[in-house]
Amino acid sequence: MADLDDLREGSNFGLGVTAGQQSFHVKGAENLPWGMKDRLSRIFNPKTGKAVMLAFDHGFIMGLTSGLERIDLNILPLIEYADCIMCTRGILLSSIPTTTNKPICLRSDAGASILTELNDNVLIDIEDAIRMNVSAMAVMLAIGDEAHEAKTVANLYKAVDKASRYNIPVMGVTAVGKQMARDARYFGLASRICAENGANIVKTYYCDGFEKVVAACPVPVVIAGGKKLPELEALDLCYKAIGDGAAGVDMGRNVFQSENPVAMIQAVHAVVHDGLTPQQGFEMFQDLSK
Ligand code: 5RP
């Protein structure tokens, strides 16, 4: 039982001190088996340790989303610039050519729409994930929402149990429901719970104190982009997240809703992998947009 009258906030995050056992380029993966490491290396570039994941799973919960009306027209031209694609089974099978040859982070849970927002009770059959040769499975975790919390923990747990049998990494997606705080306390708690339950990657949002969220999470953290921002601000977000220790981005709307998505994903890639500043990335975006 938690001693609720004695919750002491962590304060010693060892900021600036590299995590131990880091001969493998993916945090916390040192002791994993070959198949896991191979899949993680398909997502996280072994040279930089970073990843640009292109997320276009929004339709499974939001229905029609601007920029995702036509996967063939909107998304296919972007895929060559992504390190990994994140989508649902339905979109993968119907709209992504088998020759794409990019690692797939499969959206593996369901059970809700934009009206209730949080998924908690459906998990894809592991055999189907294997048939699609996925490199990771993404499952939501909604801490702090009474109606969903225990069910999403169970869903994540089940996903890890099943996926680890076949050396498939799981990405825990920290949910932000309507009532949930968007701060380091919430994202830190949710990220750590994902990792403690066996997630090999955590996706969360950038926030003040993000470096503590990353430091206290024993596996790589990638950020979602969130709502569409002006391009320079979105590149700034990527830059700050990487500077604070993120292992990459899993970005959707700030890429596919950009004025020039093909230019934007290349600029994001350059900020994440090549250390371009936001301004340099923005100039790259502008040059590619001419
Ligand atoms: C929602 C998701 C989305 O894929 C994620 O939010 C990334 O998209 P965006 O950058 O548009 O926020 O996992 O559960």
Side-chain angles (χ1 to χ4, degrees), residues 174 186-196 202 204 213 217 221:
T174 64
Y186 170 75
F187 292 135
L189 176 68
S191 297
R192 182 63 175 254
I193 289 174
C194 285
E196 298 261 357
V202 169
T204 194
V213 175
C217 184
V221 175

Side-chain angles (χ1 to χ4, degrees), residues 51 72 81 83 85 118 132 142 162 166 170 189 210 240 284:
D72 56 340
Y81 305 106
D83 298 314
I85 56 173
L118 300 172
M132 288 178 271
K162 291 183 176 186
Y166 303 97
V170 168
L189 176 68
F210 183 74
K240 284 187 189 142
M284 180 178 177

Side-chain angles (χ1 to χ4, degrees), residues 13-157:
F13 292 93
L15 298 180
V17 181
T18 311
Q21 275 203 308
Q22 282 291 299
S23 68
F24 188 63
H25 65 285
V26 180
K27 190 178 180 186
E30 191 77 23
N31 301 325
L32 296 180
W34 198 94
M36 278 275 187
K37 284 180 161 166
D38 175 62
R39 288 189 171 91
L40 287 166
S41 295
R42 284 170 56 74
I43 298 170
F44 295 98
N45 184 326
K47 290 196 186 111
T48 63
K50 306 282 191 293
V52 173
M53 305 169 76
L54 175 64
F56 49 98
D57 57 332
H58 304 57
F60 91 117
I61 199 162
M62 292 162 78
L64 260 185
T65 308
S66 170
L68 291 182
E69 296 88 345
R70 287 278 304 267
I71 299 295
D72 56 340
L73 301 180
N74 306 140
I75 293 298
L76 296 195
L78 309 179
I79 289 182
E80 66 178 286
Y81 305 106
D83 298 314
C84 174
I85 56 173
M86 180 185 175
C87 61
T88 57
R89 164 169 66 181
I91 291 296
L92 185 72
L93 296 178
S94 65
S95 311
I96 306 298
T98 49
T99 49
T100 299
N101 206 20
K102 287 281 173 183
I104 297 145
C105 179
L106 187 72
R107 184 83 215 195
S108 301
D109 58 357
S113 75
I114 194 167
L115 305 175
T116 53
E117 281 194 4
L118 300 172
N119 302 328
D120 60 19
N121 58 14
V122 181
L123 199 57
I124 202 165
D125 189 330
I126 188 68
E127 288 183 4
D128 212 23
I130 295 166
R131 279 194 286 273
M132 288 178 271
N133 194 28
V134 306
S135 294
M137 292 168 69
V139 177
M140 181 180 281
L141 185 85
I143 297 301
D145 183 282
E146 267 187 49
H148 298 89
E149 183 175 281
K151 291 191 214 160
T152 61
V153 172
N155 233 14
L156 179 69
Y157 218 92

